[in-house]
């Protein structure tokens, strides 16, 4: 990898992506072979907002590489509560750790933080901005299930505030996927992502309903419609039910459809989908470990 | 309006900068971008909505005793793309050039995204990439295309 910091999916070339995914596949095949790979490495975890999968999978990844983590802990128990700036926090913690993982509620926080440290910094989600490591594990899951050739993907839900969507949309342009975006009009892609996709020549369609596009899809990527984003509860109720899928919905889909979700889900995927061959969202979450092991290994100087 | 009227309204300066061909009505925003609010003691003349063959109407700003840097005047291109800069010494124009659009403007505009890290109490200046049809925050990617002056940072 030629990047010291991983801030945005826009910085990942097709070659970068393939390098991480190939390495992740090797690791997944024999994870025990990497157990003393980075035995002297400490990864600093700075999570300024809640996280289950991302934080735990980074922790697991570092420990499975033989290293360990130093964790800032919750915002309430840290100096952030005393008013310390993010710039100061990362400058302090870089003295303790060999690399940093940052999740923060403000857009652009990871980019700013990276300007204050010399150790590699990974963006683990910056507000509604980007979530590039989620994208790498999403791509890994897509490649395992549907491949990248002639790929048609539907991305449904909160496209406006969904950082996983913003990152994934950028990355999918590097593999020339056909992208269908399905959302209420109020939650369509932000202008900056639209501009980038247009400039990158991405093949993109937007829809307000799933029915017309579902049969064409190789992958359906569902995200939670975030109730808290709506100014009016009635507006949320008007659209939420239309963006739920269940086993009956999927009867119109190809037998080879892969259903993904970055999780957590609330009610947008019914539990009756879990037992079908379509469901890959739990495996998708599990893939976070080998993918983050691969990324950390490459960032920290591991040889393939 | 006669030439004499115009001379009376915008008198010559001895040393300093004359910014001509500012888009009509934008001169106060030009002053804001340059951080000129009258408190520094500089003599400043402003003529607004003067007739202009090229622009229809234009503003002119004359700043006595201060020669603007190229970086400063480049930023003006965001709101006054046709502006010309005249550096005056001893009543003579010694340099004259057009503004050019810079690649990036730093610390000039405030990001309208209230969830952008640059709006927080952090030691970082706003930073916008200049595009063909607007500017784009280099931290949160928010694009501004219209009404740039509304986003000029207060001094």
């Amino acid at each position: 990898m030629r990047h010291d910091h991983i801030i945005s999916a826009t910085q990942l070339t097709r070659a970068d992506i393939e390098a991480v995914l190939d390495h992740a596949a090797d690791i997944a095949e024999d994870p025990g072979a990497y157990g003393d790979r980075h035995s002297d490495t400490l990864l600093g975890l700075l999570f300024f907002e809640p996280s289950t999968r991302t934080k735990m999978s980074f922790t697991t990844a570092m420990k499975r590489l033989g290293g360990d983590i130093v964790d800032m802990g919750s915002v309430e128990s840290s100096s952030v509560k005393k008013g310390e700036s993010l710039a100061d926090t990362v400058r302090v913690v870089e003295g303790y750790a060999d690399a940093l993982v940052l999740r923060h509620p403000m857009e652009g926080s990871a980019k700013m933080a990276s300007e204050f440290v010399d150790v590699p910094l990974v963006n683990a989600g910056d507000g509604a901005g980007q979530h590039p490591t989620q994208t790498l594990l999403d791509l890994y899951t897509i490649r395992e299930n549907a491949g990248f050739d002639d790929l048609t993907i539907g991305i449904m839900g909160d496209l406006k505030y969904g950082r996983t969507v913003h990152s994934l949309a950028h990355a999918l342009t590097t593999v020339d996927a056909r992208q269908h975006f399905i959302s209420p009009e109020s939650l369509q892609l932000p202008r900056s992502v639209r501009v980038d996709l247009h400039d990158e020549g991405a093949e993109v369609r937007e829809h307000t309903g799933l029915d017309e596009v579902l049969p064409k899809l190789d992958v359906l990527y569902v995200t939670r419609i975030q109730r808290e984003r709506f100014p009016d509860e009635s507006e949320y109720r008007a659209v939420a039910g239309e963006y739920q899928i269940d086993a009956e919905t999927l009867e119109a889909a190809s037998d080879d459809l892969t259903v993904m979700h970055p999780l957590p889900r609330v009610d947008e995927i019914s539990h009756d989908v879990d037992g079908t061959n379509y469901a890959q969202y739990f495996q998708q979450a599990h893939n976070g470990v080998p993918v983050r092991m691969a990324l950390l290994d490459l960032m920290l100087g591991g040889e393939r | 309006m006669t030439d004499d009227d115009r001379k009376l309204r915008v008198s010559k300066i001895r040393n300093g900068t004359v910014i001509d061909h500012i888009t009509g009505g934008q001169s106060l925003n030009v002053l804001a971008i340059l951080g000129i609010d009258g408190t520094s003691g500089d003599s400043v003349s402003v003529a607004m909505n003067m007739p202009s063959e090229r622009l229809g109407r234009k503003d002119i700003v004359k700043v006595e005793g201060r020669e603007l840097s190229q970086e400063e005047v480049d930023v003006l291109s965001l709101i006054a793309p046709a502006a010309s800069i005249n550096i005056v010494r001893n009543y003579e124009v010694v340099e004259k050039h057009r503004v050019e659009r810079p690649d990036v403007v730093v610390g000039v505009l405030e990001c309208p995204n209230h969830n952008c890290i640059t709006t927080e109490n952090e030691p970082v200046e706003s930073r916008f990439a200049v595009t063909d049809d607007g500017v784009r925050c280099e931290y949160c990617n928010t694009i501004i295309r219209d009404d740039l002056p509304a986003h000029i940072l207060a001094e």
Side-chain angles (χ1 to χ4, degrees):
Chain A
M1 299 278 289
R2 59 190 172 82
H3 307 292
D4 291 333
H5 306 297
I6 303 296
I7 306 299
S8 166
T10 58
Q11 74 187 85
L12 298 173
T13 65
R14 174 81 184 248
D16 290 336
I17 291 167
E18 297 279 4
V20 175
L21 302 196
D22 290 347
H23 195 30
D26 290 344
I27 289 171
E29 209 162 276
D30 186 11
Y34 296 83
D36 57 359
R37 190 81 154 183
H38 293 281
S39 52
D40 294 328
T41 301
L42 277 176
L43 183 66
L45 301 184
L46 300 135
F47 279 71
F48 289 75
E49 62 175 23
S51 169
T52 303
R53 280 153 299 281
T54 305
K55 187 172 180 180
M56 289 188 73
S57 66
F58 265 113
T59 301
T60 307
M62 194 68 257
K63 291 191 172 188
R64 287 206 183 279
L65 288 168
D68 208 339
I69 55 126
V70 283
D71 185 352
M72 179 186 83
S74 69
V75 166
E76 284 68 29
S77 64
S78 73
S79 288
V80 176
K81 193 71 177 170
K82 301 173 189 169
E84 185 176 59
S85 69
L86 173 60
D88 280 2
T89 303
V90 294
R91 278 183 286 192
V92 169
V93 181
E94 80 162 330
Y96 308 151
D98 302 296
L100 302 177
V101 177
L102 174 68
R103 169 167 291 188
H104 195 279
M106 305 293 287
E107 281 104 72
S109 51
K111 176 172 170 53
M112 186 209 74
S114 72
E115 293 169 357
F116 286 89
V117 297
D118 292 325
V119 298
L121 183 144
V122 180
N123 181 6
D126 61 333
Q130 289 271 318
H131 196 353
T133 66
Q134 176 70 41
T135 288
L136 288 167
L137 72 91
D138 291 343
L139 292 172
Y140 183 87
T141 308
I142 291 168
R143 194 175 76 165
E144 292 286 294
N145 285 276
F148 287 158
D149 294 334
D150 199 27
L151 175 67
T152 302
I153 182 169
I155 303 178
M156 182 173 81
D158 179 357
L159 312 181
K160 183 175 183 181
Y161 299 108
R163 57 192 172 203
T164 63
V165 172
H166 304 163
S167 287
L168 182 59
H170 283 298
L172 285 169
T173 64
T174 68
V175 297
D176 298 323
R178 288 179 290 277
Q179 301 182 62
H180 294 269
F181 293 100
I182 306 124
S183 73
E185 286 183 6
S186 58
L187 293 179
Q188 288 180 338
L189 288 171
R191 181 192 264 177
S192 61
V193 178
R194 287 160 176 263
V195 167
D196 286 343
L197 294 181
H198 178 267
D199 290 349
E200 291 159 8
E203 191 176 336
V204 168
R205 299 278 184 280
E206 293 186 274
H207 315 264
T208 54
L210 176 64
D211 293 353
E212 61 186 289
V213 70
L214 179 60
K216 304 176 191 169
L217 301 180
D218 301 306
V219 174
L220 174 60
Y221 189 98
V222 185
T223 66
R224 182 172 68 93
I225 292 195
Q226 300 166 96
R227 178 181 236 144
E228 64 275 17
R229 305 288 190 190
F230 283 78
D232 187 315
E233 175 73 13
S234 63
E235 286 180 37
Y236 166 76
R237 284 199 300 270
V239 298
E242 294 179 34
Y243 297 91
Q244 294 171 347
I245 62 166
D246 55 23
E248 190 181 340
T249 313
L250 297 178
E251 285 176 5
S254 154
D255 290 343
D256 297 327
L257 176 74
T258 296
V259 176
M260 296 171 61
H261 191 304
L263 304 178
R265 68 171 158 178
V266 180
D267 56 6
E268 55 277 8
I269 300 178
S270 167
H271 290 283
D272 68 3
V273 179
D274 298 355
T276 69
N277 291 331
Y278 302 123
Q280 287 297 325
Y281 26 90
F282 292 113
Q283 183 58 45
Q284 178 187 354
H286 298 164
N287 290 341
V289 173
V291 169
R292 290 184 169 116
M293 285 176 74
L295 181 70
L296 289 171
D297 190 32
L298 293 170
M299 286 182 74
L300 295 168
E303 295 293 324
R304 284 207 61 214
Chain B
M1 182 186 296
T2 67
D3 283 351
D4 285 346
D5 288 337
R6 214 169 294 152
K7 280 175 190 165
L8 281 173
R9 291 185 192 189
V10 189
S11 59
K12 281 195 166 186
I13 60 174
R14 179 173 184 144
N15 294 300
T17 305
V18 176
I19 309 167
D20 199 356
H21 299 105
I22 298 168
T23 312
Q26 292 293 338
S27 53
L28 297 181
N29 291 321
V30 166
L31 294 177
I33 281 181
L34 297 176
I36 296 171
D37 61 4
T39 59
S40 66
D42 294 335
S43 274
V44 180
S45 307
V46 177
M48 299 179 77
N49 295 317
M50 305 291 284
S52 163
E53 279 185 23
R54 182 144 56 99
L55 301 176
R57 59 192 182 93
K58 67 175 183 179
D59 290 1
I60 303 170
V61 169
K62 299 189 178 190
V63 185
E64 181 79 52
R66 177 171 163 188
E67 293 186 9
L68 302 179
S69 69
Q70 185 65 46
E71 276 182 356
E72 283 180 308
V73 299
D74 284 351
V75 174
L76 300 182
S77 69
L78 299 179
I79 58 170
S84 60
I85 309 298
N86 301 279
I87 305 295
V88 178
R89 290 178 196 145
N90 200 23
Y91 296 109
E92 295 295 326
V93 175
V94 294
E95 281 180 41
K96 183 168 186 163
H97 48 91
R98 292 277 182 87
V99 296
E100 289 180 19
R101 286 172 77 77
D103 295 330
V104 175
V105 290
V106 178
V108 175
L109 300 168
E110 182 174 35
C111 186
N113 174 9
H114 298 303
N115 209 42
C116 176
I117 194 70
T118 61
T119 66
E120 287 288 283
N121 186 26
E122 296 286 347
V124 62
E125 288 191 290
S126 74
R127 187 177 172 89
F128 286 83
V130 179
T131 61
D132 289 342
D133 53 359
V135 295
R136 179 174 178 144
C137 176
E138 292 204 340
Y139 289 91
C140 75
N141 287 316
T142 294
I143 292 171
I144 312 175
R145 283 189 176 150
D146 306 313
D147 200 17
L148 276 176
H151 303 291
I152 294 170
L153 273 165
E155 281 293 303

